[in-house]
Amino acid sequence: MRDLLLGRRPKDFDIGTSAHPYQVKRLFRNCWVIGRRFRLVHVKFGTKIIEVATFRRHVPPGETDADPPPPELPGQSFGSTDAQRESAARDLLIRRDNTFGTPEEDAFRRDFTINALFYDIATFSIIDYVGGLRDLNDRVIRAIGDPTSGSSKIPCAC
């Protein structure tokens, strides 16, 4: 999104969804779930691989960080083979950064405001929860949250 707004050709697109990884896997024939720190889905589209991530949220220290099993899609249920694979995969999963959330929660866990812009393909609109559009226009790189003890604004030669 950021590159398009700057008039540059993007090298790739990050796809985010509220669907859990194994729900995405059930929708596409040519895909696989990867990752131990957090689950991503790689969908093969022709000669390209499209990476799909589920929206995540920040887990404060001390909070339970294990997600419940993903909800099933309407009309779908995991067969025993899929359930066994998912169970085995969950046993190896590092759970700290793998708690699913909303698009807004996902935006607030990103590093910089200009990296937290979303494009909604259903409404053809930009969603900006953290002031990334303003910072992009002002040529400023600003951290989300308070990385030290004050506001962090660094001039950008974007």
Side-chain angles (χ1 to χ4, degrees), residues 20-31:
H20 289 217
Y22 285 91
Q23 291 174 321
V24 175
K25 183 175 179 5
R26 297 211 27 115
L27 293 172
F28 296 97
R29 189 178 53 179
N30 295 325
C31 75

Side-chain angles (χ1 to χ4, degrees), residues 77-99:
S77 63
F78 287 115
S80 62
T81 305
D82 285 338
Q84 290 167 349
R85 280 191 208 127
E86 181 179 4
S87 177
R90 283 177 178 267
D91 290 343
L92 298 173
L93 184 62
I94 297 170
R95 298 190 187 279
R96 165 56 46 207
D97 289 330
N98 204 44
T99 301

Side-chain angles (χ1 to χ4, degrees), residues 137-152:
N137 287 333
D138 292 346
R139 307 295 238 205
V140 170
I141 294 178
R142 185 169 49 95
I144 295 174
D146 189 9
T148 58
S149 61
S151 177
S152 178

Side-chain angles (χ1 to χ4, degrees), residues 1-99:
M1 170 72 354
R2 177 191 66 237
D3 291 337
L4 287 174
L5 292 170
L6 290 171
R8 298 178 181 164
R9 183 176 183 194
K11 66 177 176 64
D12 66 355
F13 291 94
D14 296 328
I15 307 295
T17 180
S18 58
H20 289 217
Y22 285 91
Q23 291 174 321
V24 175
K25 183 175 179 5
R26 297 211 27 115
L27 293 172
F28 296 97
R29 189 178 53 179
N30 295 325
C31 75
W32 54 99
V33 178
I34 65 161
R36 207 166 153 214
R37 182 169 177 218
F38 52 88
R39 296 283 188 235
L40 298 170
V41 180
H42 279 182
V43 180
K44 187 171 182 180
F45 186 75
T47 60
K48 298 196 180 283
I49 301 294
I50 308 297
E51 190 169 271
V52 180
T54 303
F55 297 127
R56 293 181 289 139
R57 70 179 181 91
H58 172 72
V59 179
E63 182 179 317
T64 302
D65 55 357
D67 266 329
E72 294 177 1
L73 292 175
Q76 292 184 332
S77 63
F78 287 115
S80 62
T81 305
D82 285 338
Q84 290 167 349
R85 280 191 208 127
E86 181 179 4
S87 177
R90 283 177 178 267
D91 290 343
L92 298 173
L93 184 62
I94 297 170
R95 298 190 187 279
R96 165 56 46 207
D97 289 330
N98 204 44
T99 301

